[in-house]
Amino acid sequence: MVAVAVLALAAGGSAQLQQGFYKGKCNGTDVEAVVQGIVKSWFAREPPVVAYLLRMQFHECVINGCDGGLLIDGPGTEKTAPPNLSVKGYEVIAAIKAELERRCPGVVSCSDIQILATRDAVALGGGAAYQVRTGRRDRRRSLASDVKLPSPDYTAAQTTAYYGRLGLSAFDTVLLLGAHTVGATRCAAIKSSRLYAYGGRSGATDPGLDPAYAFVYKTYVCPNVPSSDNNVVFLDDQWSALKVDNHYYRNLQLRRGVLPCDQNLYNDGSTRWIVDLLANNAGLFTSLFPQALVKLSEVNVLIGTQGEIRKVCNRFN
Ligand code: HEM
């Protein structure tokens, strides 16, 4: 019995994560209020920070857990893996860390800062305010070779299997991809897969894409010339691209999902009902999205005396 408990802890279960973990630990400073204040002022200057932090939480937590590994600089670290090259928001985390180190050195982990900051950004973006448990520690490991992220071309079965390996359900998966209600990609991400070489056939457009949208993309946003590769494509409609809402799912119903993995959630019967449920009920998405983010934030975390509390987030101590 004791051995089982020890094993569970060694595996990094969330047993010691708790709400308000930093209460009374930072020389009278309210740690969560400091994080919130900095995210708020950042958001006022740069609203897409909501998208940056959400994507960062995803890329952080699915690789060896939410352990700050993505934040480390240097050759061959997670940050240098190709899918991570376009991750943004590192400066926000660094700014929060600097302020907290000034107030209470060596207390607040970078991994907790990531989770708290994302939580605050989601609420600022129009999502719900939610509670998260803290007490994570930072891992002394960050290798590009560990980075195995899902492909934007994944079928629904591949996507749900990927998250399933992390202990997340198909429902959680569909909720998490709802993060694509904010932010953007570049034309290069969809030109061959959806607009000009669908199924590997030169000149073919994905018949599963709303023809009106296909026309707009091909004519105005991503014309078939190399110079359009870096043009911005909003993952949700432009007017909704900064709002944490259920509009993403409504778009999927209309065959306007941008990445194949988005649209495939609607094309596949096993996940379509979840998309329909969330598309038809804004309040449901608002209340359940945080729960999925919380589950993601507790995947394989370090606790207790494991790992370290870094002095700066981009270097091991
Ligand atoms: C199958 C799973 C997923 C795939 C294949 C995927 C893929 C992508 C791709 C290709 C981009 C565009 C990146 C770029 O062009 O720079 C993107 C953007 C984004 N992803 Fe995902 N994603 C997935 C799941 C998630 C999850 C679970 C979250 C968060 C919970 C998330 C949050 C975001 C956000 C917010 C953006 C916009 C970033 C920005 O505007 O800077 N994604 N994703």
Side-chain angles (χ1 to χ4, degrees), residues 28 47 66 88 131 145 160 203 226 254 281:
C66 316
K88 304 186 197 85
Q131 305 224 305
S145 54
T160 51
L254 298 168
N281 191 336

Side-chain angles (χ1 to χ4, degrees), residues 45-72:
R45 292 193 305 272
E46 200 175 346
V49 72
V50 181
Y52 304 163
L53 292 175
L54 270 169
R55 183 161 183 240
M56 183 189 283
Q57 176 169 329
F58 160 47
H59 286 223
E60 178 65 73
C61 293
V62 298
I63 307 303
N64 300 329
C66 316
D67 61 0
L70 177 60
L71 303 172
I72 297 292

Side-chain angles (χ1 to χ4, degrees), residues 25-203:
K25 294 197 171 99
C26 185
N27 301 325
T29 288
D30 180 339
V31 168
E32 298 200 12
V34 169
V35 176
Q36 191 179 39
I38 295 175
V39 174
K40 206 169 168 181
S41 58
W42 213 284
F43 176 79
R45 292 193 305 272
E46 200 175 346
V49 72
V50 181
Y52 304 163
L53 292 175
L54 270 169
R55 183 161 183 240
M56 183 189 283
Q57 176 169 329
F58 160 47
H59 286 223
E60 178 65 73
C61 293
V62 298
I63 307 303
N64 300 329
C66 316
D67 61 0
L70 177 60
L71 303 172
I72 297 292
D73 281 337
T77 62
E78 286 179 32
K79 199 182 258 186
T80 68
N84 285 337
L85 295 177
S86 56
V87 171
K88 304 186 197 85
Y90 297 113
E91 306 82 358
V92 195
I93 306 299
I96 297 168
K97 178 65 170 171
E99 180 59 23
L100 288 172
E101 283 298 297
R102 208 175 59 72
R103 290 166 181 253
C104 53
V107 172
V108 186
S109 68
C110 298
S111 40
D112 273 341
I113 292 173
Q114 288 175 299
I115 301 306
L116 290 167
T118 306
R119 180 270 300 268
D120 295 330
V122 166
L124 288 163
Y130 58 97
Q131 305 224 305
V132 294
R133 283 174 281 270
T134 42
R136 291 167 192 76
R137 311 261 304 175
D138 302 325
R139 200 181 298 269
R140 291 185 56 82
R141 176 187 178 101
S142 174
L143 295 174
S145 54
D146 286 346
V147 177
K148 294 181 180 68
L149 284 154
S151 158
D153 295 333
Y154 268 9
T155 62
Q158 288 172 313
T159 303
T160 51
Y162 182 93
Y163 288 96
R165 285 192 288 277
L166 301 171
L168 299 166
S169 67
F171 207 110
D172 296 328
T173 303
V174 178
L175 281 168
L176 285 174
L177 265 78
H180 289 168
T181 178
V182 288
T185 185
R186 307 274 160 181
C187 288
I190 59 166
K191 277 169 82 173
S192 54
S193 63
R194 306 213 68 192
L195 302 179
Y196 301 113
Y198 173 73
R201 279 176 291 118
S202 175

